[in-house]
Amino acid sequence: MTVTLSSSNLELCNGGLVNATAVISVTLDRGENSNIDFINTKLNSGSFRMWGPSHFCLILCLWACLDALPVAVDKTKVSTPAEELEPPKSVDTGLHYDRYLREVIDFLEKDPHFREKLHNTDMEDIKLGKLAKELDFVSHHVRTKLDELKRQEVNRLRTLIKVKQDMNGDKGMTVDHQALLKQFEHLDHVNPHTFEVEDLDRLIKSATNDLENFDKERHEDFKKYEMTKEHERREHLKTLDEEARKKEEEHYEEMKKKHAEHPKINHPGSQDQLKEVWEEADGLDPNDFDPKTFFKLHDTNGDGYFDEQELEALFTKELEKVYDPTHEEDDMVEMEEERLRMREHVMNEVDTNRDRLVSLDEFITATNRKEFLEPDGWETLEQNPVYTEEELREFEEHLAREEQDLNQKSNELLKQREELERQQEQLNAQKMELQRAVEHMERLKTQKTEPPVQAKVNAVPSAVEILPGDSQPLSQGHQQDLPTHS
């Protein structure tokens, strides 16, 4: 399966960081660069699949079963390798602390005592914390390395907290790392320096709990997807006239009928279903069907267990009877939900110790039951809707409230924009007035610095004009021009 993840599963809430529904990853933790990516995960459209809750168990059990079958070789002709081969890399669980989880288990597995205890401890005891107590008996070298891993993880979380604070505009505030680290349950934040039994116990319980919620979240996402699809279809019908609406309804019913017309679906995990795989996928005679051989053929990683990936691969032939990506009536998102339902059903029927893995013994035991030989029919999604009309109505009301809130916020933002534009116009007017005042002052300043212009002298040298208030008499020529009064 492929992992498709979208938002951070760290959200600032009530002053602290809390787990949400997606994954937050830091590329500097991957050893590549110092950029931090916050990734959102949401099922919108297309075919999405995530790692299921067995992968933490798979990580533990893979290393418990690494011993190979003995092979007869002539040791005199074989040179001893310089160093042992590294065990295969474990799958990415999708958790934001995935690297820390895998590195811790990797180093614990290298300790002979812990490896032996891991091999002899069932999953229920692991979940109860009994395996964590064996940490006191591992070698000093392993404990030192675990201390280093924990310090690196604490520093990584502190980096995430600092970045989250900066993104929320709290750069001027003092960050209380200890208070925020309390939100991370996969390690003991009180002691950030050494890896203790409490750390291993927390890591196992957190990973188990987080992974077990994956399937539940996938079901919820699919239900929302289906209700959204139906809501949009009904809203589209409202925009059509009566004739077009009638044609659209007829086409919809025709597609539903066409999708429902498919070959019989065998009950997942039944003899008929496995024999079909045996014959069509493996190319073997159905009369020679052997459960043990079938198990070994489809235990693709050879670890002695069917994990979620291997189980889901067995249902491909059944799903192809119902879903075709080239057909308009078939939705590939629904196909993945059907695959998930089939896998969960087989796990509930076969996985007796609830470790999210199917061992060979559990598989052989299941093939001897009556349900394996004479199973009930299997209801596909179109026969078993994931939501009711009441749930759809509540969903639509929720969407209407969200739309109303968005419209209200949009109107408020529009008013704020208009107010800002009005204030901007006032500022522009004040700016223009200020510019005119500055220009006027510059003109006055220029006029004061210019030299005075001398008055022109009259062509007659003796003609001197006496201004009012002057004590000197006018010239003789001007006196003759003055009017006489009786």
Side-chain angles (χ1 to χ4, degrees):
M1 291 184 290
T2 58
V3 180
T4 305
L5 302 176
S6 62
S7 138
S8 163
N9 82 330
L10 301 177
E11 295 178 353
L12 196 62
C13 186
N14 295 327
L17 292 171
V18 296
N19 286 337
T21 59
V23 174
I24 192 167
S25 64
V26 185
T27 54
L28 62 89
D29 192 41
R30 301 290 182 185
E32 297 174 358
N33 52 57
S34 60
N35 294 324
I36 296 180
D37 297 328
F38 293 86
I39 308 173
N40 275 315
T41 299
K42 185 175 181 183
L43 180 61
N44 293 318
S45 61
S47 179
F48 292 88
R49 302 178 65 194
M50 300 175 67
W51 294 118
S54 74
H55 290 85
F56 175 70
C57 308
L58 175 60
I59 293 172
L60 294 174
C61 295
L62 276 175
W63 284 308
C65 306
L66 288 174
D67 294 331
L69 294 175
V71 181
V73 295
D74 187 351
K75 295 184 179 180
T76 62
K77 299 180 180 180
V78 179
S79 59
T80 305
E83 57 182 17
E84 296 182 358
L85 294 176
E86 290 293 328
K89 293 183 178 180
S90 58
V91 295
D92 192 326
T93 62
L95 302 174
H96 74 90
Y97 50 91
D98 171 76
R99 179 173 178 172
Y100 174 64
L101 169 66
R102 290 186 290 116
E103 287 181 339
V104 167
I105 297 177
D106 182 36
F107 276 96
L108 284 172
E109 185 271 338
K110 292 178 181 178
D111 183 84
H113 173 80
F114 193 89
R115 181 187 176 112
E116 180 183 356
K117 290 295 182 180
L118 175 63
H119 184 75
N120 297 324
T121 306
D122 60 34
M123 186 51 58
E124 196 60 35
D125 287 340
I126 291 176
K127 293 178 181 179
L128 292 175
K130 294 182 179 180
L131 184 64
K133 298 177 181 178
E134 300 298 326
L135 182 67
D136 290 332
F137 303 100
V138 302
S139 66
H140 175 72
H141 169 71
V142 173
R143 288 298 294 269
T144 301
K145 185 60 181 179
L146 293 177
D147 293 345
E148 180 183 347
L149 291 176
K150 181 177 179 180
R151 288 192 292 270
Q152 291 175 357
E153 177 68 1
V154 171
N155 288 334
R156 183 184 75 88
L157 296 177
R158 285 175 173 167
T159 302
L160 291 177
I161 292 169
K162 181 66 167 61
V163 170
K164 189 67 175 178
Q165 293 290 101
D166 291 345
M167 290 179 65
N168 284 275
D170 297 333
K171 296 181 180 180
M173 298 178 60
T174 302
V175 179
D176 187 353
H177 290 106
Q178 285 298 103
L180 294 177
L181 282 172
K182 292 180 181 179
Q183 306 297 330
F184 299 96
E185 298 179 352
H186 65 284
L187 52 73
D188 179 14
H189 70 281
V190 177
N191 173 19
H193 304 293
T194 60
F195 190 96
E196 305 295 342
V197 173
E198 174 72 11
D199 291 290
L200 183 57
D201 187 45
R202 282 172 173 261
L203 185 59
I204 292 173
K205 290 180 179 178
S206 294
T208 302
N209 181 65
D210 292 343
L211 290 170
E212 285 179 349
N213 288 329
F214 275 5
D215 283 348
K216 181 180 179 181
E217 292 170 2
R218 287 177 62 185
H219 285 307
E220 288 300 317
D221 287 339
F222 177 73
K223 179 187 286 189
K224 291 179 182 177
Y225 169 79
E226 288 288 282
M227 289 191 294
T228 300
K229 188 169 67 172
E230 177 62 16
H231 169 71
E232 291 176 350
R233 186 188 74 83
R234 295 184 181 185
E235 290 298 308
H236 173 65
L237 290 176
K238 294 178 181 179
T239 65
L240 305 177
D241 56 38
E242 184 176 354
E243 183 178 354
R245 185 164 53 251
K246 183 178 179 181
K247 288 182 180 180
E248 190 73 19
E249 288 282 21
E250 289 175 353
H251 178 72
Y252 174 72
E253 293 298 329
E254 181 183 352
M255 290 297 100
K256 282 180 61 177
K257 182 179 179 181
K258 190 175 180 181
H259 174 71
E261 293 174 351
H262 54 71
K264 176 188 174 184
I265 301 298
N266 291 313
H267 193 93
S270 67
Q271 179 177 241
D272 292 338
Q273 191 257 313
L274 298 185
K275 274 190 174 182
E276 192 173 81
V277 176
W278 174 275
E279 180 179 7
E280 297 186 14
D282 301 332
L284 301 175
D285 188 343
N287 296 321
D288 296 333
F289 176 77
D290 177 63
K292 187 174 182 179
T293 303
F294 181 91
F295 186 92
K296 291 182 178 180
L297 281 173
H298 294 276
D299 176 20
T300 54
N301 60 8
D303 65 349
Y305 295 91
F306 274 164
D307 58 35
E308 293 179 356
Q309 299 159 275
E310 293 164 336
L311 271 180
E312 291 185 0
L314 300 178
F315 310 136
T316 300
K317 288 293 179 181
E318 299 302 317
L319 295 169
E320 288 176 350
K321 297 176 183 178
V322 185
Y323 299 95
D324 187 332
T326 63
H327 292 171
E328 177 188 355
E329 67 273 12
D330 298 336
D331 188 334
M332 295 300 103
V333 177
E334 293 179 358
M335 183 184 76
E336 294 307 317
E337 176 68 11
E338 192 77 74
R339 190 192 302 271
L340 174 59
R341 292 177 65 239
M342 289 180 172
R343 186 254 294 165
E344 287 182 326
H345 173 76
V346 173
M347 279 291 188
N348 290 332
E349 293 288 322
V350 182
D351 180 22
T352 55
N353 65 355
R354 301 304 179 211
D355 64 351
R356 309 294 294 182
L357 296 167
V358 176
S359 66
L360 176 59
D361 290 340
E362 289 174 327
F363 182 74
I364 297 299
T365 300
T367 60
N368 293 324
R369 295 175 186 159
K370 181 181 178 181
E371 293 81 2
F372 178 76
L373 302 174
E374 301 175 5
D376 298 328
W378 177 257
E379 291 186 349
T380 53
L381 281 172
E382 71 267 11
Q383 298 169 308
N384 189 22
V386 296
Y387 64 87
T388 64
E389 280 295 322
E390 177 65 20
E391 288 176 323
L392 178 59
R393 184 184 64 80
E394 292 177 356
F395 178 72
E396 289 181 325
E397 290 176 352
H398 175 70
L399 290 180
R401 288 193 299 270
E402 283 189 338
E403 184 177 2
Q404 184 178 0
D405 291 342
L406 288 174
N407 289 335
Q408 183 177 352
K409 291 179 181 179
S410 177
N411 291 333
E412 291 175 355
L413 290 174
L414 182 60
K415 291 179 180 178
Q416 291 178 8
R417 177 182 176 181
E418 292 174 350
E419 178 63 20
L420 288 174
E421 290 176 349
R422 186 184 65 79
Q423 292 178 4
Q424 185 64 44
E425 290 177 357
Q426 292 179 347
L427 289 174
N428 291 337
Q430 293 175 2
K431 182 179 179 181
M432 293 294 293
E433 187 67 24
L434 180 61
Q435 288 178 345
R436 286 194 293 268
V438 170
E439 292 173 357
H440 178 68
M441 295 296 294
E442 289 293 332
R443 285 196 299 269
L444 293 177
K445 183 178 178 181
T446 303
Q447 291 173 1
K448 289 182 179 179
T449 57
E450 292 179 355
V453 181
Q454 294 182 355
K456 293 183 179 180
V457 180
N458 198 304
V460 181
S462 60
V464 179
E465 181 178 1
I466 303 300
L467 296 176
D470 286 350
S471 59
Q472 296 181 1
L474 295 175
S475 64
Q476 183 178 2
H478 283 81
Q479 290 178 353
Q480 294 177 356
D481 296 334
L482 290 175
T484 59
H485 299 280
S486 56

